[in-house]
Amino acid sequence: MEANKYCQCCGMPLTDEDMLSREADGSINDDYCKWCYADGKFAYDSKEKLLDFLMEHVPNTEDIPDDERRAAYDGYLSQLKRWKEESKIIKAPLIVRFTVKGACLVIGSEW
């Protein structure tokens, strides 16, 4: 697996080939994880729906206000292939970092 490869929808590190998405014909699409793209279709038809999912399911271990968390996620997602064209680049107030522990997204002020 190529080093530093990330899902171009959610930003999760793609560390194992089992995480890669597939097209409708079964071929591998290595731009996206299998949770964001499967059988040639995206799971999230808008960035807002993905943001809603992240806000609901990602633990807020640092008690960051929801509006700041959402802005950080939005800023990060806006740089990815799936959302870049529809988004203006937003400078997020926090650095966003992913961990592979249960595919959690962690935000904080240090990388």
Side-chain angles (χ1 to χ4, degrees):
M1 191 81 228
E2 183 180 325
N4 298 321
K5 186 83 172 162
Y6 298 90
C7 175
Q8 292 298 303
C9 182
C10 71
M12 182 171 60
L14 299 173
T15 57
D16 189 301
E17 289 209 16
D18 290 340
M19 300 172 81
L20 297 176
S21 64
R22 297 211 175 253
E23 296 291 348
D25 65 4
S27 62
I28 291 177
N29 181 328
D30 64 0
D31 282 339
Y32 303 102
C33 72
K34 65 183 179 182
W35 298 281
C36 288
Y37 187 84
D39 297 322
K41 296 180 183 177
F42 285 104
Y44 303 99
D45 58 4
S46 73
K47 185 171 55 166
E48 290 303 313
K49 287 183 181 179
L50 177 53
L51 286 167
D52 291 344
F53 176 85
L54 294 173
M55 292 298 294
E56 184 176 340
H57 292 92
V58 175
N60 185 4
T61 58
E62 296 182 27
D63 294 322
I64 298 167
D66 285 350
D67 59 337
E68 289 181 27
R69 286 177 58 220
R70 191 174 189 95
Y73 295 154
D74 188 30
Y76 180 73
L77 294 176
S78 295
Q79 298 173 52
L80 301 174
K81 179 180 176 178
R82 168 81 168 125
W83 312 114
K84 186 182 274 189
E85 293 177 8
E86 72 177 46
S87 302
K88 294 178 183 175
I89 304 240
I90 299 170
K91 291 185 180 178
L94 300 173
I95 294 171
V96 178
R97 160 174 60 101
F98 286 92
T99 63
V100 183
K101 298 175 185 174
C104 279
L105 174 70
V106 179
I107 62 173
S109 57
E110 299 206 7
W111 192 239

